[in-house]
Amino acid sequence: MLDRVLHTKRLKLRPVRAADAKEIAEGIGEWEVIRWLTSPPWPYSLADAEWFLGQDTRNTDYGIELDGALRGVVSISSDFDLGYWLAIPCHGHGYMTEAASAVVAKHFEHSNAALTSGYLLENAASANVLGKIGFRNTFLRTDYSTPMKADVQVQRVELTAQKYRTDHA
């Protein structure tokens, strides 16, 4: 279960809630956000956000708040896979590195389980976020992208507890 709220230098990270549906739909529903994800539907609607929030996500998904508004989501799934998205106005300011780093740090405070993640090969921004946190490439795989309606190349990455703790000692 998540600690209820995490704070970083600029962000508040808290469990997502039903009231976030509109902001989630608007943020992830932009093509320049959703094109880098493989599983959400496209176009992404308010009903999709409501469905997402109706799943058992409140204990795995942190809403990323900036100035009181939800600007993205970062999560670690039950199989220890880090996933995230961030609204377009927040791109390029280091917010995702800040948010994901806080969630990864919290994970390794309580667990020795290695984390995995992945990014589409063309997504240099996501590769940069994961690299800054300490993830290392493991293998390349082909996944189906629902938004693109095509197969895409995904670079899978991993961060072990030992590497994380060594890097952050």
Side-chain angles (χ1 to χ4, degrees):
M1 179 149 175
L2 293 178
D3 283 358
R4 299 316 298 162
V5 177
L6 300 176
H7 292 274
T8 69
K9 183 177 177 182
R10 302 176 293 173
L11 306 170
K12 178 180 176 182
L13 308 173
R14 47 106 178 136
V16 295
R17 52 187 179 238
D20 295 328
K22 184 175 186 271
E23 289 173 303
I24 288 173
E26 290 172 355
I28 199 173
E30 292 286 336
W31 179 249
E32 286 303 315
V33 173
I34 206 165
R35 70 179 292 222
W36 300 114
L37 306 174
T38 57
S39 55
W42 173 257
Y44 196 89
S45 68
L46 180 60
D48 294 318
E50 290 167 343
W51 175 87
F52 164 75
L53 291 165
Q55 304 307 298
D56 189 19
T57 59
R58 290 185 187 90
N59 292 326
T60 60
D61 295 331
Y62 281 100
I64 302 168
E65 273 191 24
L66 177 64
D67 299 327
L70 185 95
R71 297 315 214 158
V73 173
V74 60
S75 66
I76 296 175
S77 69
S78 61
D79 61 349
F80 304 108
D81 199 62
L82 177 73
Y84 50 82
W85 64 267
L86 191 65
I88 292 171
C90 296
H91 289 188
H93 300 283
Y95 296 130
M96 186 49 71
T97 300
E98 188 175 326
S101 292
V103 172
V104 167
K106 183 55 65 178
H107 167 77
F108 285 124
E109 279 181 23
H110 303 287
S111 177
N112 289 319
L115 293 174
T116 58
S117 192
Y119 60 90
L120 274 65
L121 281 183
E122 300 82 16
N123 192 345
S126 191
N128 190 38
V129 166
L130 293 166
K132 284 180 181 179
I133 296 170
F135 283 83
R136 295 294 175 248
N137 292 348
T138 53
F139 61 93
L140 191 62
R141 79 177 187 203
T142 301
D143 285 345
Y144 183 77
S145 167
T146 302
M148 292 191 162
K149 297 179 180 28
D151 287 338
V152 294
Q153 294 294 297
V154 176
Q155 177 64 59
R156 297 297 298 167
V157 296
E158 180 182 60
L159 178 59
T160 65
Q162 180 180 2
K163 178 168 184 350
Y164 178 82
R165 291 182 182 124
T166 299
D167 290 351
H168 295 88

